[in-house]
């Protein structure tokens, strides 16, 4: 039978009697640097198809000012990166009810269950070390494909799941100088071990569905337990970026004023060999998508068919265009340009560009590149 680790992300600020400032243990507020979902992605630069070409998975350009991994949930479809956060509250001295229910279901099936609350990257890493396989002859430590330890991540939002995947990537991705010959040419890391996803809000709704809902993953704790014990891995694409982090769902770049009206900004956006905009014209938004979380902006369709398992990233920019009517009157229409490919780069032309990446806020000040790692991570599904 399997050993199952039920991992919940917490904060050093968790204290008896409440969630801490702003609902910290629920992932609803920005945390101090000791919080595993608040680490900035300013590590070393990683080495990373549209309809018209392809590139190798090499990050091009300098690492941008990285998003803070706050684990905050998005609360609006506006391109402005507003502080969202879940409003739920939880006791900090005991696991959340869905975690307890999942543990009961696992125990009933004979699994050996351990519940862990990680409050730092080091504590996440200690859990992930249990997924290691034997050290290879080349000295690399990769996941054990035949291991008997399975991981379930209890998530209040996509930012928390992303925080765990970020640590998995950093654990198992070899340095470019140590790239083994058996690594596929379109990948910079091996197959990551599958994870079970336990949403902490089974009844969550809203205009923006979380990744579990988009993937059709179970939300009932007992069904999550069954998927981890009896299900099969469903492999999904991963977006890596040259800021040292990952994207599971997508990123939405743009800004809005206090009234929610989108502001113009400029950037060069390039997908493989296709230039969507050269940076000389104003933009309202740019969506970089692995899945469909940012497919629409208000009533505008940005992305037509994002697929988290097709080996491509879908990118869209929204450009306001002035046109004249037959009577000479000016009006503004929104032109959406799209491309699909293996890699995308965004180079801001001026100032800072706020964005949401898997619901986590950030500001882009320098060039940022994302590239696809096809089938790099996996979830347990029925």
């Amino acid at each position: 039978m399997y050993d199952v680790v039920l991992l919940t992300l917490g904060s050093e600020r968790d204290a008896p009697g409440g969630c801490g400032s702003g609902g910290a243990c629920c992932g609803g507020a920005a945390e101090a640097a000791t919080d595993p979902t608040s680490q900035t992605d300013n590590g070393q630069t990683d080495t990373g198809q549209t309809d018209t070409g392809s590139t190798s998975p090499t990050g091009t350009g300098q690492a941008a000012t990285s998003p803070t991994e706050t684990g905050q949930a998005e609360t609006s479809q506006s391109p402005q990166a507003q502080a969202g956060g879940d409003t739920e509250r939880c006791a900090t001295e005991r696991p959340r009810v869905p975690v307890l229910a999942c543990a009961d279901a696992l125990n009933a099936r004979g699994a050996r269950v351990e519940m862990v609350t990680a409050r730092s990257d080091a504590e996440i890493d200690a859990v992930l070390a249990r997924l290691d396989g034997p050290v290879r002859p080349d000295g690399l430590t990769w996941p054990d494909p035949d291991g008997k330890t399975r991981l379930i991540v209890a998530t209040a939002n996509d930012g928390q799941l992303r925080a765990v995947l970020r640590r998995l990537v950093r654990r198992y991705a070899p340095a470019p100088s140590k790239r083994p010959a058996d690594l596929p040419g379109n990948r910079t890391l091996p197959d990551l071990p599958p994870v079970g996803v336990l949403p902490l809000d089974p009844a969550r709704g809203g205009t923006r569905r979380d990744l579990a809902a988009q993937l059709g993953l179970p939300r009932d704790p007992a069904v999550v337990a069954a998927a981890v014990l009896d299900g099969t891995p469903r492999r999904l694409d991963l977006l890596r970026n040259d800021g040292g982090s990952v994207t599971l769902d997508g990123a939405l770049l743009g800004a809005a004023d206090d009234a929610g009206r989108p502001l113009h900004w400029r950037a060069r956006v390039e997908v493989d060999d296709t230039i969507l905009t050269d940076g000389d014209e104003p933009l309202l938004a740019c969506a970089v998508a692995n899945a469909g979380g940012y497919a629409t902006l208000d009533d505008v369709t940005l992305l037509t068919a994002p697929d988290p398992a097709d080996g491509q990233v879908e990118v869209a920019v929204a450009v306001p265009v002035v046109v004249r009517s037959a009577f000479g009157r000016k009006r503004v229409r929104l032109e959406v340009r799209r491309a699909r490919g293996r890699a995308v780069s965004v180079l801001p032309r001026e100032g800072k560009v706020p964005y949401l990446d898997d619901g986590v806020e950030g500001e882009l000040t320098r060039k940022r590149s994302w590239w696809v790692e096809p089938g790099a991570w996996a979830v347990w599904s029925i």
Side-chain angles (χ1 to χ4, degrees), residues 280-350:
D280 292 333
E281 56 192 340
L283 300 177
L284 292 185
C286 173
V288 177
N290 189 41
Y294 299 109
T296 60
L297 176 63
D298 295 331
D299 58 348
V300 177
T301 298
L302 295 178
L303 308 166
T304 54
D307 183 346
D310 65 354
Q312 293 189 318
V313 57
E314 184 172 355
V315 183
V317 295
V319 184
V321 178
V322 178
V323 297
R324 291 183 179 274
S325 69
F327 300 99
R329 296 177 180 174
K330 293 183 179 179
R331 65 182 181 86
V332 177
R333 66 177 178 84
L334 200 60
E335 178 182 300
V336 179
R337 304 169 189 166
R338 304 179 182 93
R340 299 168 64 82
R342 282 284 316 285
V344 55
S345 65
V346 179
L347 174 61
R349 291 301 193 192
E350 54 193 17

Side-chain angles (χ1 to χ4, degrees), residues 2-378:
Y2 296 105
D3 294 317
V4 181
V5 181
L6 262 168
L7 176 62
T8 304
L9 301 192
S11 164
E12 292 287 4
R13 295 198 299 176
D14 294 349
C19 278
S21 176
C25 66
C26 297
E31 293 304 322
T34 52
D35 182 2
T37 60
S38 68
Q39 303 300 309
T40 55
D41 292 329
N42 56 2
Q44 66 180 29
T45 299
D46 298 291
T47 48
Q49 58 200 66
T50 68
D51 303 329
T52 60
S54 63
T55 61
S56 62
T58 56
T60 56
Q62 209 167 4
T65 300
S66 58
T68 299
E69 298 277 7
T70 58
Q72 288 181 321
E74 181 194 10
T75 58
S76 171
Q77 282 295 301
S78 166
Q80 184 177 13
Q82 300 176 354
D86 294 307
T87 58
E88 65 244 85
R89 292 292 182 264
C90 59
T92 60
E93 291 303 293
R94 64 194 302 270
R96 296 276 296 276
V97 170
V99 177
L100 294 171
C102 189
D104 288 343
L106 291 165
N107 282 318
R109 295 285 305 279
R112 295 179 293 270
V113 182
E114 180 179 357
M115 291 180 285
V116 177
T117 299
R119 294 179 172 84
S120 68
D121 279 348
E123 292 180 351
I124 294 177
D125 292 344
V127 170
L128 301 183
R130 307 182 197 187
L131 306 176
D132 290 353
V135 176
R136 292 161 41 109
D138 56 15
L140 296 175
T141 299
W142 279 12
D144 187 354
D146 301 317
K148 296 300 182 182
T149 298
R150 296 194 169 177
L151 173 66
I152 298 177
V153 182
T155 63
N157 48 64
D158 291 343
Q160 292 189 340
L161 180 61
R162 153 182 149 142
V164 176
L165 265 295
R166 180 171 61 96
R167 299 312 300 176
L168 275 173
V169 169
R170 293 197 178 191
R171 183 169 193 85
Y172 295 122
S177 61
K178 296 182 178 180
R179 179 185 177 90
D182 58 342
L183 193 62
N186 62 351
R187 291 269 291 275
T188 65
L189 70 163
D191 285 352
L192 299 177
V195 297
V197 180
L198 174 63
L200 290 178
D201 181 6
R204 184 169 184 169
T207 57
R208 180 179 182 269
R209 299 187 302 162
D210 61 16
L211 189 60
Q214 293 181 59
L215 297 175
L217 298 179
R219 307 185 80 87
D220 181 87
V223 183
V224 172
V228 170
L229 296 179
D230 302 326
T232 57
R234 177 182 173 187
R235 301 223 65 89
L236 302 165
D237 301 334
L238 183 71
L239 294 183
R240 292 189 68 184
N241 68 55
D242 57 3
S245 190
V246 300
T247 299
L248 307 180
D249 184 354
L252 181 66
L253 297 87
D257 61 19
D258 292 339
R261 294 183 294 264
L263 300 174
H264 292 177
W265 52 284
R266 288 175 169 80
R268 178 185 176 91
V269 180
E270 188 171 359
V271 183
D272 290 352
D273 297 325
T274 299
I275 299 174
L276 290 180
T277 175
D278 60 9
D280 292 333
E281 56 192 340
L283 300 177
L284 292 185
C286 173
V288 177
N290 189 41
Y294 299 109
T296 60
L297 176 63
D298 295 331
D299 58 348
V300 177
T301 298
L302 295 178
L303 308 166
T304 54
D307 183 346
D310 65 354
Q312 293 189 318
V313 57
E314 184 172 355
V315 183
V317 295
V319 184
V321 178
V322 178
V323 297
R324 291 183 179 274
S325 69
F327 300 99
R329 296 177 180 174
K330 293 183 179 179
R331 65 182 181 86
V332 177
R333 66 177 178 84
L334 200 60
E335 178 182 300
V336 179
R337 304 169 189 166
R338 304 179 182 93
R340 299 168 64 82
R342 282 284 316 285
V344 55
S345 65
V346 179
L347 174 61
R349 291 301 193 192
E350 54 193 17
K352 300 177 180 179
V353 180
Y355 67 89
L356 292 169
D357 193 331
D358 285 342
V360 179
E361 291 183 301
E363 285 186 334
L364 205 61
T365 60
R366 290 178 286 178
K367 187 176 182 178
R368 169 59 54 85
S369 298
W370 289 263
W371 67 92
V372 179
E373 300 278 348
W377 74 293

